[in-house]
Amino acid sequence: MLVFIPISVVSVFDLIVTYSSSDKIATLVQEQILKGSAKIMSEQASITNGDIEISIPPAAFEIFSSPYQDRIYFAIRQLEGKLIAGSDEIPAYTNSLALEQAQYYSSILRGEPVHVVAYAHALSNGTDADVVVTQIAQTKKGQAAFRQELFMLAIRKHALLMCIVLLGLLAASRWSLRPLLVFSKKVTQRQSGSLEKINLQHVPTELLPVTVAINDYVTRLDQTLSSYEQFVASSAHQLRTTFAIITSQLNFARHHQRSDHRSDQGNKQADLQSEILDAIQNTVAQGSKVINQLLILARLERTQTIPTPAHPTVLADIVKQVMDELAPIAQQKNIELGTDGLDHSVTLVAPAYLLHEMVLNVVENAILHMGQAGVVTISVFRKDAYLYLRIVDNGPGIPAAERSNVIKRFYRIETDRATYSASSGLGLAIVAEIVQSLNGRLILSEPRSKRGLQVDIKFPNG
C-alpha cells in the first residue's frame, strides 16, 4: 500500500492546480459575459443631431441572469470621460484602450469586490473621434459559485479515481501476495517446537531464496539443539549415577553405623547420625526426582511427534500401576487411595510411559499436598465424545485464582512450609505438557464436596 502514498500526493497537487484552473475558467466566463454585454450596449450608441444617444436593450442585462443575484453596474462615457449613461460610481477608465478591444480589472463598489470590463467602440455614423467607452462591473458571487462547482466536480472525479485505484491496488496486492499468505499460513500451522524442513516443491519461485535460508537455519538449529539434548542427557546420566553412588554409600553407612549402647550419650549420638543420614537420603531422592522430571520435559519439548505404539494403552491398567507404586507413601501419610470406577474399555493411542508419568504426577501431587489424613479417588470413564481421567482429593485444594499458575514450571503455592520445600513445582507442569502433546485438556476445579481439588483430564474419543 506504499504505492498509494505517492498517488495521493500527486492527486493533492493536481487538485491544487485544478482549483487554480477552475478560478481561471470562472473568471474567463465572467469576462466573456461582461464583454458581450458591453458590446451590445456600445453598438446601440449613435449620433443624432450632433449628440450621442443610446438606447440600452434588455438583452444587455438578461445575459447576466443567474440564481446568485449579482449586482450589475454600468457607465457609458465619451472618450474624454463625459458620462453619457449609467452610474458615475464607476470611475472613468484612464488607461489607453484600443478600439473594439476590452480591458478587465478588479475593483470595489459599495464595499463589494467587482470585476470590470472597459470596452471602446467607434460610432458607426460618426467620425474617428466619436468613440464611446462602455464600463460594466459585476460582483463576484456568480464567479465564485461557478468556480466552486467546477472544483467540486473535479474533487468528485478525483475521489472516484482514487477509489478505483485503491480497489485496483487491493486486488493486485491480494493477487500478488496470495502465495506469501498461503506460505505464511502453512508456517503458522506447524506444531510448536517443530524443526521439520519446509517442502520446496510447493513454494512459489519468489519465496525460494527465503525458504532455502529458513531450511538452512532450521538445520543448524536442529544440530545445536541435538547437541544440547545430548549434553543434557549425558549430564543427567552422570548426576543420576552420582546420586545412586551417594544413596549406596548412605545405605552402607546406615548398616554399619556405630552405636555406643554403653551410655545415653552414645544412643543420642547414634540417633542424631541416623537423622542426618535420613535427611541426606531424602534430599538425594528429591534431587533424583527433579532430574527425572526435567528430562521428561526436555524430551517432550524436543519430540516433534509423539511415537505411536503398536497397540492402544489401557488407561485403567496405568492407574493400577501408579496406585501400587504410591500405596506405601499414602499409607505413611494415612491417606486412602481408592477408585470410583475404572472403565477398562478406555484406551489411548499413546506411549505407556507418558500416560504413567501423567497419572503418577497428578496422584503424587494430591498425596504430597494433602497435609493430613484424607482420601484420593481415581476414576476412568467415558462421557459424551470424550475419555476422562478424574482424580479427586479432599485436601486443602487450590484457590481459583492460582489454578492457571500451578501448571507453570517451578510455580509453588507457599501455604505449608513442609509441602512447599518437598515440592519441585514441576508435577502439574509435566502433566499439562503431556496432555497438550496428546491433544487433551487439563481442567482444575472444585469437587462437589466443596473441599479439595478435582483434576479432570479429557481426551477426544478416537
Side-chain angles (χ1 to χ4, degrees), residues 235-237 239-240 243 286-296 426:
S235 300
H237 176 71
L239 287 173
R240 282 189 291 187
F243 282 161
Q286 183 67 18
S288 299
K289 177 183 174 182
V290 172
I291 289 174
N292 290 330
Q293 290 178 327
L294 289 174
L295 283 174
I296 291 172
L426 289 173

Side-chain angles (χ1 to χ4, degrees), residues 102 114 153 163:
V114 294
L153 178 62
C163 290

Side-chain angles (χ1 to χ4, degrees), residues 1-128:
M1 300 311 294
L2 293 177
V3 181
F4 193 69
I5 296 177
I7 294 177
S8 302
V9 173
V10 172
S11 180
V12 170
F13 178 76
D14 187 55
L15 284 176
I16 295 173
V17 175
T18 301
Y19 181 83
S20 177
S21 300
S22 300
D23 184 66
K24 291 179 180 179
I25 293 173
T27 302
L28 179 61
V29 171
Q30 186 182 34
E31 289 177 349
Q32 292 302 311
I33 294 174
L34 288 170
K35 181 180 179 180
S37 179
K39 191 174 182 180
I40 292 173
M41 290 185 185
S42 300
E43 289 176 347
Q44 302 304 314
S46 61
I47 297 178
T48 305
N49 298 326
D51 295 326
I52 299 176
E53 294 182 355
I54 186 169
S55 176
I56 301 175
F61 294 102
E62 289 175 356
I63 198 173
F64 293 102
S65 62
S66 71
Y68 304 110
Q69 299 180 349
D70 276 313
R71 293 182 182 273
I72 308 298
Y73 306 89
F74 77 97
I76 303 175
R77 291 183 172 88
Q78 294 180 351
L79 192 60
E80 63 271 14
K82 181 181 177 181
L83 183 66
I84 300 173
S87 172
D88 59 358
E89 291 181 274
I90 303 178
Y93 188 76
T94 57
N95 296 334
S96 60
L97 191 63
L99 291 176
E100 308 304 327
Q101 296 296 321
Q103 292 294 330
Y104 306 96
Y105 60 95
S106 295
S107 183
I108 295 179
L109 290 178
R110 298 183 184 181
E112 288 185 291
V114 294
H115 203 55
V116 187
V117 62
Y119 181 78
H121 176 70
L123 300 180
S124 59
N125 60 346
T127 62
D128 292 341

Side-chain angles (χ1 to χ4, degrees), residues 408-420:
K408 298 177 182 178
R409 299 179 185 182
F410 299 107
Y411 186 89
R412 294 178 289 179
I413 303 175
E414 191 172 357
T415 54
D416 184 2
R417 293 303 302 176
T419 59
Y420 182 84

